[in-house]
Amino acid sequence: MIECRHISLRNHNTICIVKNIFYAIIFLFIYLLSPYTIEAHTDIPHFVFYPKVVSQGEPLMLQVDDLGSFSVKKITFGGVPVSIFKYQAKPTGLVGIDLQKKPGVYVVRLELSNGEFVFDSIEVKKKTVKVAPYNIPTKLGGNSLESQKKLIDTLAEENSIFKNIKTSKKRFWISGFVSPLTNPVVIDEFGYLRKISSFVMTHKGVDYLAKEGTKVMTTNDGIVRVVGDYRNYGKTIIIDHGLGVLSFYLHLSETKVKKGDFVLAGQEIGLSGQTGYAESPHLHFSIRIYGVSVDPVKFLELFK
């Protein structure tokens, strides 16, 4: 309370009111300029995770919110640098959680341009993996020991080719990713184990229901890096979307692009089929983030 001294009965009320107003203005001015007040009323940059709960084999989107006048210098997940791009006007990064990544809590670090750091963490949960019996198609020799060995050897050869595909440091896409089919229906999920006699194979994509000759579209803008015909994967197209993101389209009956083409989201690139390791017509669709295969259905959900 501000004390008012008595000067005269007539002027007492007037002087009190003026002094109270004067001191109130001074206190308000000091309060607003106080560094503690500024800190209390300024939003602090922080991470927002999509999804909020992530499991082995899933993609993770990191976004920086309430950045204000700051700028982002670097983001790391578990000590590994994450490529940064703008999405929905916010600094964003994509992380592929490997199916074999150890479950547990991982630290996410944001380094600001002024040298300050912001830390957060997210838990990677263990994925429940299903095992189901599977057969080698008759056209590839059936389940004989000889065809099993040939399958293992040729898969290793084909995977080594796909493993060495480099992606551009430039991001080719602007808007979100879309489904490669008009009406996608999953008939084989991501990440389960296909048991063939004495060995198992991990299904690192999803199989969509698609009758022979169904139009297949690219999931987003990018450059065609691979157009080929392989023993196991059949007619295949691989598209580089930049910043480590690759999309795979397998078992096609026909391809309609060539290596080096720049394609746009939703553009027709081929027709579904049953070439290679396929017993019936369908589309096998995969997404990799810097070499890590992730559930493509979960990936597409990030952009809805």
Side-chain angles (χ1 to χ4, degrees):
M1 180 179 290
I2 300 173
E3 180 185 358
C4 278
R5 294 183 180 181
H6 179 69
I7 298 178
S8 70
L9 183 62
R10 185 178 63 180
N11 295 326
H12 176 267
N13 290 337
T14 301
I15 293 174
C16 253
I17 291 172
V18 171
K19 289 177 72 175
N20 276 322
I21 292 174
F22 175 77
Y23 285 115
I25 292 173
I26 294 298
F27 289 157
L28 180 61
F29 185 76
I30 294 173
Y31 174 78
L32 290 175
L33 288 184
S34 166
Y36 300 104
T37 303
I38 292 173
E39 183 178 355
H41 286 80
T42 302
D43 290 327
I44 300 173
H46 63 277
F47 285 107
V48 180
F49 300 130
Y50 303 97
K52 293 181 179 179
V53 177
V54 67
S55 298
Q56 294 168 314
E58 294 184 352
L60 174 65
M61 179 184 285
L62 314 169
Q63 281 197 321
V64 181
D65 213 351
D66 293 326
L67 191 59
S69 60
F70 297 98
S71 60
V72 174
K73 183 178 180 180
K74 188 177 182 181
I75 295 175
T76 60
F77 173 86
V80 179
V82 177
S83 295
I84 306 167
F85 58 93
K86 278 288 186 71
Y87 182 66
Q88 297 175 333
K90 297 177 182 179
T92 304
L94 290 171
V95 177
I97 308 298
D98 195 274
L99 279 164
Q100 303 302 318
K101 193 168 190 66
K102 185 178 179 180
V105 177
Y106 289 83
V107 175
V108 185
R109 189 182 76 167
L110 166 66
E111 183 178 351
L112 298 171
S113 55
N114 64 354
E116 294 183 7
F117 295 90
V118 176
F119 294 88
D120 207 333
S121 63
I122 187 168
E123 182 180 6
V124 174
K125 294 186 175 295
K126 184 175 180 60
K127 177 181 174 63
T128 301
V129 179
K130 299 177 182 178
V131 181
Y134 211 75
N135 296 312
I136 299 175
T138 304
K139 62 183 176 181
L140 295 183
N143 289 342
S144 67
L145 290 176
E146 183 181 351
S147 62
Q148 289 180 48
K149 184 180 183 304
K150 187 160 187 176
L151 176 63
I152 294 172
D153 292 341
T154 52
L155 275 175
E157 292 172 5
E158 293 176 8
N159 287 332
S160 67
I161 296 171
F162 295 168
K163 184 179 180 180
N164 294 322
I165 299 172
K166 294 183 178 180
T167 66
S168 174
K169 294 180 180 179
K170 177 182 177 181
R171 177 171 63 113
F172 297 122
W173 51 278
I174 299 174
S175 58
F177 287 72
V178 298
S179 172
L181 297 176
T182 303
N183 297 302
V185 176
V186 176
I187 55 175
D188 244 350
E189 64 184 23
F190 170 87
Y192 81 98
L193 298 177
R194 291 174 166 176
K195 183 173 177 56
I196 304 173
S197 297
S198 59
F199 72 98
V200 294
M201 299 187 306
T202 304
H203 191 230
K204 293 187 175 181
V206 294
D207 289 346
Y208 286 124
L209 180 66
K211 66 181 182 180
E212 187 91 17
T214 300
K215 182 170 72 172
V216 175
M217 302 165 288
T218 178
T219 185
N220 216 323
D221 301 355
I223 295 177
V224 178
R225 297 297 186 194
V226 172
V227 179
D229 195 350
Y230 302 91
R231 177 185 185 273
N232 303 302
Y233 295 133
K235 290 186 184 343
T236 297
I237 295 172
I238 303 176
I239 297 175
D240 171 21
H241 304 286
L243 291 184
V245 180
L246 292 172
S247 60
F248 295 69
Y249 313 79
L250 277 54
H251 308 306
L252 303 173
S253 62
E254 185 179 339
T255 58
K256 296 193 174 186
V257 290
K258 62 182 184 299
K259 183 178 179 180
D261 284 352
F262 188 87
V263 292
L264 302 176
Q267 178 179 331
E268 182 179 350
I269 56 174
L271 302 176
S272 64
Q274 54 183 326
T275 57
Y277 192 109
E279 294 185 289
S280 61
H282 68 276
L283 172 68
H284 176 102
F285 177 59
S286 292
I287 291 287
R288 287 185 189 174
I289 302 174
Y290 283 110
V292 176
S293 294
V294 297
D295 187 334
V297 174
K298 298 286 186 182
F299 182 82
L300 296 181
E301 288 176 354
L302 294 177
F303 300 92
K304 289 184 178 179

